[in-house]
Amino acid sequence: MLFVRTHAARLYALAVAVLALVAHFVPELPSALVLGVVAAALGLGEAVHRVAGPTPVAEPAKTVGPFEVAE
């Protein structure tokens, strides 16, 4: 379970990529089934975001004019 918590976003990305490949290469799948799984994947993405936590945000860089020196 620790592996899943640590790599939740990567596992989610892999699952969504496999889903896209299956939906593309298996045209016999009903579109309602594919759309339902896509909707579930979008909901799962929200859960993954909550597990992974927010990404740290860097402070904005100070801008200096043409005649000023950055500190």
Side-chain angles (χ1 to χ4, degrees):
M1 191 65 182
L2 179 62
F3 179 81
V4 173
R5 276 196 183 271
T6 306
H7 302 286
R10 290 180 179 160
L11 291 172
Y12 172 75
L14 177 67
V16 170
V18 169
L19 170 66
L21 285 172
V22 169
H24 179 74
F25 287 112
V26 184
E28 298 87 25
L29 287 175
S31 60
L33 174 70
V34 173
L35 290 175
V37 173
V38 167
L42 290 174
L44 180 64
E46 175 63 27
V48 166
H49 177 71
R50 289 175 190 241
V51 168
T55 56
V57 177
E59 292 184 25
K62 289 186 176 182
T63 58
V64 294
F67 302 108
E68 298 176 12
V69 177
E71 296 178 15

